[in-house]
Amino acid sequence: MNKIGLAVYGLEIYQTRRKKKELNTVNSRVDFLDIMDLFLHNSQQQFDTDNYTETVFKVERIERDEVYNENGQKMYSFISGVVKTGEYGTESELVNRKTKKVTHNKTIDEAEVMPFAFYVAIPQGNTKKGIIIFQTEGRYGMKGSFEKRLKKYMQNLYPDLSFTMGTIAPVEYIERYLRDGFLKEIKMIKYGIPNDVSERNGISKKPEDNAYEERIIHNPLGFLDKGADKIRETLRSQRIYTSIVEIPDFDYDVLKFNFTKGKTNKTINMTNIDSIVIVEDITETAGVNKGHPSYLILKDEMKRTAIDYLHGMGVV
């Protein structure tokens, strides 16, 4: 079974690449969700073909609604739905795992399409930042197909506007786990084996062989009592990540924290925090034994994730 994930990105609109636009008043007539609505409905008619990326793309389902807090106050508006996409351009054989026989010869003009859910959330009021969530399934996803087509649509409709998608700021992301998560594991990796160790054990010293040493601390209870502040200092560039955990005679190159939050598991690599792409693992919650996860389950998970991140960003 493929792992089911939710990839979370921040979204913004720029005018002539300099001035950020408020998402609820892109111009006097429409907001960003109006533009998104038009794009999605325009993509419902038939599969769109992109010969450069060799992908097909079609919107299968669209929903637009609003989310309110327990006091009846509007938090954000959203559009969610399902896209079907896949790649063509290669020949292959499809083999039945039970009969061990070829059941179909796929041609270069055929694409194996899969359904993927999405969720676009725009906070209430004068906001210049929203989020967009894409479902992933194993190594498959549709972020690239979706983003390229939306950018092209916007460029044709509003040439002075540009749509950007980027990573959520690390402090907004990691703070959720420091505050509400449970630290299961600390992993440190040191690349390169000392000469004496290599020679004594017959280990190759060639860089291309990628030998490395790993230290793991399981269930490090109490570490976050002081360690959480060290992580925050690293996010504010007040500390280097290799000083968060100190192990005598072990100068590591990579530091990872494995957290759980509810039924979500997440490994945070402190080595490249400025380029984190957030993918929440929801395989257990999605409850998939075969086939693809239910859209309604995915929608509920994306709503929960959207509220979590918008709170963390301080915009709801």
Side-chain angles (χ1 to χ4, degrees):
M1 180 181 70
N2 284 332
K3 285 189 175 182
I4 308 300
L6 299 180
V8 188
Y9 297 87
L11 65 89
E12 296 173 322
I13 297 289
Y14 286 83
Q15 187 168 32
T16 62
R17 299 186 179 275
R18 290 189 300 273
K19 181 182 178 183
K20 286 185 185 180
K21 296 288 292 183
E22 291 184 1
L23 296 175
N24 289 314
T25 52
V26 174
N27 62 32
S28 59
R29 293 169 296 154
V30 298
D31 59 27
F32 178 71
L33 287 188
D34 291 331
I35 298 173
M36 181 69 72
D37 208 344
L38 289 170
F39 161 71
L40 294 170
H41 279 93
N42 190 61
S43 303
Q44 268 193 311
Q45 305 306 315
Q46 60 183 1
F47 278 100
D48 173 69
T49 301
D50 184 337
N51 289 324
Y52 182 78
T53 59
E54 296 186 327
T55 59
V56 295
F57 180 95
K58 182 183 177 184
V59 175
E60 289 286 306
R61 182 170 185 162
I62 307 168
E63 289 186 38
R64 184 170 179 175
D65 209 340
E66 299 169 344
V67 173
Y68 295 81
N69 63 21
E70 61 275 10
N71 298 319
Q73 299 168 317
K74 181 180 174 182
M75 290 194 295
Y76 66 88
S77 302
F78 74 89
I79 285 183
S80 65
V82 175
V83 161
K84 284 188 175 179
T85 187
E87 297 180 356
Y88 60 89
T90 58
E91 294 181 343
S92 63
E93 295 179 338
L94 301 183
V95 177
N96 186 299
R97 69 178 179 87
K98 294 182 178 179
T99 65
K100 319 298 183 186
K101 294 181 179 180
V102 175
T103 58
H104 179 71
N105 291 297
K106 177 180 170 295
T107 70
I108 60 172
D109 294 319
E110 293 179 306
E112 181 185 1
V113 298
M114 295 171 59
F116 298 96
F118 64 90
Y119 195 97
V120 183
I122 306 299
Q124 174 74 349
N126 300 326
T127 182
K128 295 180 180 178
K129 192 164 189 176
I131 62 170
I132 184 165
I133 304 172
F134 296 115
Q135 175 222 336
T136 63
E137 191 164 333
R139 62 185 179 88
Y140 299 101
M142 56 95 162
K143 183 255 186 184
S145 294
F146 192 102
E147 182 180 16
K148 182 176 181 180
R149 287 169 171 85
L150 176 57
K151 284 185 173 181
K152 181 179 178 181
Y153 181 82
M154 285 194 62
Q155 188 175 35
N156 291 335
L157 205 61
Y158 303 100
D160 63 325
L161 299 179
S162 60
F163 163 74
T164 66
M165 279 175 45
T167 58
I168 303 293
V171 65
E172 299 165 350
Y173 162 53
I174 295 176
E175 185 62 40
R176 300 171 62 247
Y177 289 92
L178 295 179
R179 184 183 65 244
D180 303 321
F182 174 75
L183 182 59
K184 289 178 57 180
E185 182 181 273
I186 301 173
K187 180 182 293 185
M188 292 150 286
I189 299 173
K190 178 180 181 179
Y191 293 112
I193 303 297
N195 289 340
D196 59 334
V197 176
S198 299
E199 292 170 358
R200 190 163 57 247
N201 295 282
I203 299 172
S204 171
K205 291 182 288 185
K206 295 179 181 179
E208 60 268 25
D209 290 330
N210 296 320
Y212 66 90
E213 185 178 355
E214 186 175 86
R215 301 278 183 93
I216 299 176
I217 303 175
H218 297 281
N219 298 319
L221 298 177
F223 171 81
L224 289 181
D225 293 343
K226 294 182 178 179
D229 284 336
K230 292 182 180 180
I231 294 172
R232 294 184 179 102
E233 289 170 5
T234 303
L235 297 175
R236 295 193 295 264
S237 301
Q238 297 171 337
R239 173 188 290 270
I240 59 173
Y241 73 91
T242 52
S243 68
I244 297 176
V245 182
E246 297 180 282
I247 303 292
D249 302 320
F250 189 72
D251 299 323
Y252 53 84
D253 301 297
V254 175
L255 175 65
K256 297 180 180 182
F257 295 103
N258 185 4
F259 285 91
T260 60
K261 184 175 180 291
K263 294 183 178 181
T264 299
N265 295 297
K266 186 62 187 178
T267 298
I268 296 172
N269 187 343
M270 296 299 297
T271 316
N272 56 354
I273 56 175
D274 290 328
S275 58
I276 287 176
V277 174
I278 303 164
V279 180
E280 301 282 0
D281 185 349
I282 61 164
T283 307
E284 184 178 350
T285 311
V288 180
N289 293 318
K290 58 183 178 179
H292 303 288
S294 157
Y295 165 71
L296 294 179
I297 292 176
L298 290 171
K299 180 184 170 185
D300 284 344
E301 285 299 307
M302 290 187 289
K303 175 182 176 181
R304 176 192 58 77
T305 302
I307 292 173
D308 243 6
Y309 278 92
L310 292 173
H311 273 305
M313 294 162 63
V315 291
V316 297

